[in-house]
Amino acid sequence: MDTQKRIIVWVSAILIVAIAAIGAWQMATGSPTTKPSMSGKMSEMVSESDWTKGAKDSKVTLVEYSDFECPACGYFFPIAEEVTTKYKDKISFTYRHFPLIQHKYALDAAYASEAAGKQGKFWEMYKKIFESQGEWSGISNAKEIFEGFAKELGLDMEQFKKDRDSKEARDAVDHDKETGVRAGVNGTPSFYLNGEKIQNPKDAKEFETLIENAIANSNK
Amino acid sequence: MQSQTQINSWILWVIIALSLVGFIDSAFLLAKRVSGAPIPCFITSGCDAVSKSPYSVMFGVPLSALGMIFYLMIGFLALLYMDTKNLLVGKLIFVATTLGFLSSAHFIYIQKFKIGAFCIYCILSAVISTALFTLGITIWRRLNKLTV
């Protein structure tokens, strides 16, 4: 290679590497901002059978497919809490189970939340399970830990255990997961804003932007 | 000297292309780590369990950063070989890709047996380093033939 060609090759190599690094950075951190991703409509609208809180008969619905043992879901828990509390008069928030097989206790956690829900404490259990995710995930007595939560919530323990082990709880969780699979949910957490899948926001602020846009659009 | 040019340039280009993909993959993982935006858990593979685990750091340096340096070095060596046709550089490519392959095998082992979850970006990296390793072997064999 002559010198000129050499310079061109090496300089372009450095440029390509720099562009690649910047590109990767943007992919990883770039704001999904306002646009819902192109793929994915929810397969089943929010109904009575769902666990929903926030505004009643809201025009704006936020649905999360989540797994209690998934670290990313744990990361999103406080964010989702923050934004859904802030907009609790304007949007509704629905939690749907999407337990992944790689998580040993995700199903137990889901059943425990269903059983607590039977006694009107779904969201309280949901909160406890997520808040303590680091303490029970991967630990063999996770089920007992959930029982401890049920006690703390003042649930009727006998009923709790019965509901937790019931076919009804299994069916409810299976049903949630199945609606997710049909919608093309391929990972957790997956958020649907007004039935459209959104790219996971990076933080609460980005989440708020997405929600505010949805609220603005619904008022049009 | 002439015979040393006999490593097909397509092999080198493939190496460069693969190391670029590996570089982007590692850079992506590092950026995710630094920015704190979590990688979702996927149905078939693991999730942040891997990239946030204590195993994801070696001597205080995130493995993704080491991956970036590794792929950068391989790409650099391939380009350097194209430029200089230096036999030693060719052999270094082989040594480096072997190192990469062994590390990847080790990381897969850790994911399977220590963490019990996989990370899709780490698997992509393992696939790339395996491909690089096979190309490294090809180079090694050609170079050995040339020097006999």
Side-chain angles (χ1 to χ4, degrees):
Chain A
M1 278 200 246
D2 58 50
T3 320
Q4 203 183 0
K5 203 173 161 196
R6 268 180 139 160
I7 293 171
I8 293 172
V9 166
W10 285 102
V11 169
S12 27
I14 292 167
L15 277 178
I16 289 172
V17 165
I19 292 168
I22 295 167
W25 176 263
Q26 297 237 314
M27 267 197 293
T29 61
S31 55
T33 55
T34 51
K35 258 201 316 209
S37 76
M38 293 310 282
S39 70
K41 285 213 184 301
M42 217 158 63
S43 64
E44 199 167 285
M45 289 298 122
V46 175
S47 75
E48 281 291 304
S49 67
D50 281 311
W51 298 111
T52 302
K53 65 174 179 177
K56 287 230 154 49
D57 304 318
S58 160
K59 279 191 206 157
V60 181
T61 59
L62 177 67
V63 176
E64 178 186 8
Y65 281 94
S66 179
D67 168 324
F68 282 118
E69 200 174 345
C70 135
C73 306
Y75 175 91
F76 270 105
F77 160 72
I79 295 177
E81 279 296 281
E82 186 185 330
V83 295
T84 53
T85 309
K86 182 168 176 189
Y87 295 97
K88 68 177 187 307
D89 301 325
K90 292 188 175 144
I91 68 166
S92 70
F93 174 54
T94 302
Y95 183 89
R96 285 182 178 165
H97 301 288
F98 202 84
L100 298 167
I101 43 165
Q102 66 258 35
H103 295 139
K104 270 193 199 159
Y105 305 110
L107 273 175
D108 286 327
Y111 298 150
S113 70
E114 284 290 324
K118 279 266 170 198
Q119 298 184 45
K121 294 274 169 79
F122 174 83
W123 294 105
E124 288 79 357
M125 184 59 102
Y126 151 92
K127 196 163 172 239
K128 277 192 177 293
I129 291 177
F130 267 135
E131 276 174 351
S132 60
Q133 190 191 56
E135 290 156 37
W136 59 263
S137 64
I139 293 171
S140 58
N141 63 344
K143 224 169 154 176
E144 287 161 33
I145 294 178
F146 303 145
E147 281 176 14
F149 295 160
K151 252 187 219 137
E152 286 169 31
L153 291 173
L155 302 184
D156 174 342
M157 287 311 289
E158 205 134 302
Q159 191 62 38
F160 172 79
K161 284 182 194 167
K162 212 174 113 198
D163 290 335
R164 180 195 61 194
D165 302 331
S166 68
K167 185 173 179 298
E168 208 184 328
R170 271 206 310 278
D171 287 348
V173 174
D174 286 350
H175 175 77
D176 276 4
K177 185 155 185 185
E178 189 262 329
T179 64
V181 170
R182 261 194 290 142
V185 171
N186 64 352
T188 55
S190 286
F191 289 96
Y192 286 82
L193 195 54
N194 276 346
E196 298 257 4
K197 183 159 184 195
I198 55 168
Q199 259 191 38
N200 289 347
K202 194 172 73 200
D203 48 33
K205 205 166 153 272
E206 246 179 53
F207 217 149
E208 284 175 17
T209 314
L210 285 165
I211 289 171
E212 274 177 18
N213 280 327
I215 293 172
N217 283 334
S218 74
N219 288 335
K220 269 181 195 164
Chain B
M1 202 52 197
Q2 211 181 10
S3 61
Q4 286 174 19
T5 59
Q6 278 181 5
I7 291 182
N8 288 340
S9 66
W10 70 263
I11 294 185
L12 294 165
W13 282 117
V14 173
I15 289 181
I16 290 170
L18 282 174
S19 48
L20 190 65
V21 178
F23 176 78
I24 294 170
D25 182 52
S26 305
F28 178 80
L29 271 170
L30 184 67
K32 280 277 186 197
R33 186 191 183 89
V34 173
S35 72
I39 302 164
C41 300
F42 293 102
I43 294 179
T44 44
S45 52
C47 34
D48 249 7
V50 177
S51 49
K52 286 274 169 70
S53 78
Y55 299 103
S56 67
V57 178
M58 198 184 262
F59 311 121
V61 184
L63 288 177
S64 42
L66 295 178
M68 276 174 79
I69 295 167
F70 167 73
Y71 288 113
L72 203 60
M73 197 177 72
I74 301 258
F76 171 74
L77 286 175
L79 210 55
L80 191 65
Y81 184 82
M82 253 192 216
D83 190 354
T84 61
K85 303 285 182 286
N86 186 317
L87 207 64
L88 182 69
V89 174
K91 295 203 166 171
L92 269 180
I93 294 178
F94 170 73
V95 174
T97 55
T98 310
L99 210 68
F101 174 71
L102 291 177
S103 313
S104 276
H106 177 64
F107 300 144
I108 292 282
Y109 166 82
I110 286 179
Q111 288 177 62
K112 172 86 181 89
F113 296 104
K114 301 274 170 144
I115 307 174
F118 289 99
C119 135
I120 195 158
Y121 303 99
C122 317
I123 291 178
L124 175 64
S125 179
V127 170
I128 293 170
S129 56
T130 308
L132 283 172
F133 176 55
T134 52
L135 293 171
I137 294 177
T138 318
I139 288 186
W140 176 260
R141 289 169 71 172
R142 295 244 172 117
L143 288 180
N144 274 348
K145 263 190 213 152
L146 295 178
T147 45
V148 167

